[in-house]
Each structure stands twice: as structure tokens, then as C-alpha cells.
Amino acid sequence: MMMLYLQVLLLIITANGAPIVARLIMKGRWSTPLDGGMTFMDGHPVLGKSKTYRGVAFSLVGTVLVAEVLDIPWEMGLMVGGLAMTGDCLSSFIKRRLGYDSGAMALGLDQIPESLFPLLGVWGSLSLSATGIMATMGAFMAFDLIFSPFLHKLGIREQPY
């Protein structure tokens, strides 16, 4: 069962890392923000410039490909990717409402929705436990907090968090 949680964790890491890889590979192409640059009634961007069609597309394709390599149904990879991006967009929406700039760190809010949503999406079909879900979320949060500064120093991430 531990291997299953590691596989789902790898899919979540892929879903959240693929947009970063996409930015490096594609440069400025496909960089249109999901919110089209629109602002919400509070005057802040709906999501911000860092949430792009390119990032969502690479996340979905990346998780499908990794799911296939892990011998997990591609549909499950697609679900993990889609729900991770949904969680990421929700956290960006909330951060904009709280006055955080695009790319600013909000500990927990940056990691929990983008890991919890996909875990809840596959919970029933993979028979995940609540404890396993919490542990996987914690592992994703630790991974993100440990590796993000390192990836920033390598020039892969724009922010160290």
C-alpha cells in the first residue's frame, strides 16, 4: 500500500512541477493567463499571470504520461492533474483576495489544495485511508518546501518557495 501512496505522490509532484518545466521549455509561448488578465470585483487579478493555459496543458499531459509509466490508468493521471490544477487555481484565487501578489508564498495554502484535491479525487477508487491522505499531503508539503529553494538556485523556479 505504501507504494501506491508514493505513486500518487509522484503524480501530484508531476502535476505541480509540469507547469514549471513548461515555462522553461516553451519560453513565452502559450503564456496566456487563465483569467485573461481580468480583475475580480476587489480590483485584484482573478488568478494572476502565473496561472496559464500552458501550465494546465503540461500538467494534464505530464500526469497522464507518468501514470502510464507507473502502470496506473491514464484517466487517473488525468484526474490527478486536473484536480491538482483546480486546487492550485483555488489557492491563487484566495491569495489574490488576501492581497498576495502572484508568485508570493502562503505556507499551507500553496501546498494543501493542490495535493488534497487530487487525493480526494482518487480516494475511493484507490481505497486510500484518511491517514494515508494526510501523510501524502505532508510529504508533498515537505517536498515542496525542501526542493523549491534548491530549484530556485538552479534557475528552474522563479521563486525560492
Side-chain angles (χ1 to χ4, degrees):
M1 192 65 161
M2 177 70 145
M3 186 57 135
L4 178 61
Y5 286 103
L6 290 173
Q7 289 176 316
V8 174
L9 176 61
L10 184 57
L11 287 175
I12 293 169
I13 291 169
T14 300
N16 288 285
I20 296 166
V21 172
R23 181 182 48 79
L24 294 172
I25 293 172
M26 301 294 289
K27 309 285 184 210
R29 295 182 304 255
W30 282 17
S31 60
T32 303
L34 289 171
D35 64 10
M38 294 177 20
T39 57
F40 198 61
M41 63 180 105
D42 60 6
H44 294 286
V46 175
L47 298 175
K49 64 183 181 201
S50 64
K51 302 300 167 222
T52 65
Y53 288 102
R54 171 188 64 208
V56 171
F58 269 68
S59 180
L60 297 174
V61 171
T63 52
V64 165
L65 293 174
V66 171
E68 286 290 316
V69 169
L70 296 173
D71 202 28
I72 295 172
W74 68 267
E75 297 91 345
M76 197 149 304
L78 185 64
M79 181 183 302
V80 168
L83 290 173
M85 291 296 94
T86 301
D88 191 31
C89 286
L90 175 64
S91 67
S92 290
F93 179 80
I94 293 169
K95 285 169 53 177
R96 297 304 90 75
R97 307 297 64 80
L98 296 174
Y100 286 86
D101 289 332
S102 187
M105 181 182 184
L107 186 61
L109 186 54
D110 283 325
Q111 297 86 18
I112 293 172
E114 58 200 51
S115 59
L116 179 60
F117 284 18
L119 285 162
L120 292 176
V122 298
W123 174 19
S125 56
L126 296 180
S127 302
L128 303 179
S129 70
T131 304
I133 289 172
M134 296 298 288
T136 306
M137 279 180 20
F140 174 74
M141 191 168 186
F143 178 88
D144 187 54
L145 294 173
I146 290 167
F147 284 99
S148 289
F150 176 69
L151 295 173
H152 175 69
K153 285 184 182 182
L154 293 175
I156 296 170
R157 284 191 64 105
E158 290 182 330
Q159 303 295 332
Y161 39 79

